Amino acid sequence: MVINKKLLIGVPLAFMLAVVYLGATHHWAGLAKSVAAASDKSERKVLFWYDAMEPSHHYNKPGKAPDGMDLVPMYETQSPASGGQNSPGAPAEPSKGERKILYWFDPMHPKYKSDKPGVAPDCGMTLVPKYADEQRLTNMTAGTVMISADKQTLAGVRTALVERKALIRDIHTTAQIVADETRIAHVHVKVAGYLDQVFVDFVGQLIQKGQPLFTLYSPDLVSAQEEYLIAKRGETTLGSAPFTEVADGAKSLLRSARERLRLWDISDEQIKQLDETGKVTKDLTFYAPSSGFITDRKAFPQTSITPDTELYTLSDLSTVWANADIYESEIPYVQLGQKMQLTLSYSPGKTYTGTISYIYPTVDPQTRTVKVRMQVPNPGFALKPQMFADAQLRVDYGTKVLVPREAILDSGTEQVIYVLHDGGVFEPRKVTLGPAFEEKVAVLTGLKAGETIVTSGNFLVDSESRLKGSMGGARP
């Protein structure tokens, strides 16, 4: 209040004090009215407190929400959906962009419904709103939940499309070259005797089938030759005898003598030579039963031998085996007849193709691998036993539905993937998984190509789904 000093001249002091007193009284009266109004506001009845970021989350006392925001009181004369402008008992009318609330219900006893927010009369739980857009969730899979776009962003939810692609997998491993055991021959003689000459005299020598190996003197072989010649002369003399029994006996004796020589590995050419010359050969030559490399030798000149003596070991390396170690988890995808590629680190550009011929029935307890045997042609003998090679097996699984590995929630007894529908609806799907390939997993049942699934934040989506299931309704 502005007072003109000129007007104060000549004014009695009592009058001036009266004016000041009346002005102060008017000021304090206005202040008292403001305090009374604030007091009336503070005395309004508080129904509950709620999270300003998540108005559907209600609490019975003041404090802080899980997101750190201070809880806001909800008075009897206002509604969170309408910004506090509705009258008591009137349902909130949704403004543009807001979700329509059908009613409020007791989460512990969903059958109890109310047309306004508040507290359940039986258990004291805060009533939860039921939104109109949640009605369609009732016809979907149990556990389906609706999550707003804002909450999806806060939860870090990311999605991806389900793909159907041709699936080819390469298995890389190490293989060891070994000799083909079905092409190994051991040379023995069937009579005791003495080696005279040895024609193959070092390990590693390549020989051909029918090549002479050594000469053998054996008293038993000499006697067998003499018996054969005697039987032959008897057959010549008695074969045309008038008595049938005598002629047949001479012929039978000759056949037996010839068969005895054959059983002792005397060749037909040597028997023919014996027929032509009529003379016994002291040293008989023995020949290689097959082609291959000499990998072991015990035949030396002027050595006494018996049928137990292993004189040579022959290995035919024109075809070799390659034993590859495959992890036990990959064995189900390996089949007989599949092709494998072999390469040598020191021979770039050269590839050998083998065929899987056998899968061993045991697992190595140290490496947890199973041996797989391949049969590999070896022209030029470039692949040598005990070599190591890089092996690659290509497995074609056909066309499969593929999802990222992180999209799967595996509880041990079941696998679940969340599918995103329009309007922020997340549906849990139980799936059957197939083979895994690096960061992708094949899904055999439960999904189809083109659907949108959650790849990140699915744990939070699952938590919201379980919370919704325990409360008997969808949580936005």
Side-chain angles (χ1 to χ4, degrees), residues 164-208:
R164 178 180 289 275
K165 299 175 62 177
L167 192 57
I168 298 177
R169 181 182 184 183
D170 290 332
I171 298 176
H172 297 272
T173 185
T174 301
Q176 185 178 25
I177 308 299
V178 297
D180 186 344
E181 294 178 4
T182 63
R183 295 172 176 265
I184 296 177
H186 301 276
V187 178
H188 292 260
V189 293
K190 298 176 182 178
V191 294
Y194 301 89
L195 295 181
D196 187 9
Q197 291 180 292
V198 175
F199 304 112
V200 177
D201 52 5
F202 64 91
V203 173
Q205 184 175 350
L206 176 62
I207 61 174
Q208 302 299 322

Side-chain angles (χ1 to χ4, degrees), residues 57-126:
H57 295 177
H58 300 168
Y59 303 88
N60 294 326
K61 59 183 180 179
K64 287 186 176 293
D67 56 11
M69 296 287 293
D70 289 332
L71 297 179
V72 179
M74 169 58 65
Y75 297 103
E76 188 176 20
T77 58
Q78 69 180 86
S79 167
S82 61
Q85 303 301 321
N86 288 357
S87 60
E93 291 296 331
S95 61
K96 185 177 181 180
E98 293 183 345
R99 302 170 67 190
K100 180 180 179 181
I101 298 177
L102 298 177
Y103 55 85
W104 281 262
F105 66 94
D106 182 358
M108 298 299 294
H109 302 89
K111 291 184 179 180
Y112 176 81
K113 300 178 182 178
S114 175
D115 58 354
K116 61 181 180 180
V119 179
D122 295 336
C123 60
M125 293 289 293
T126 302

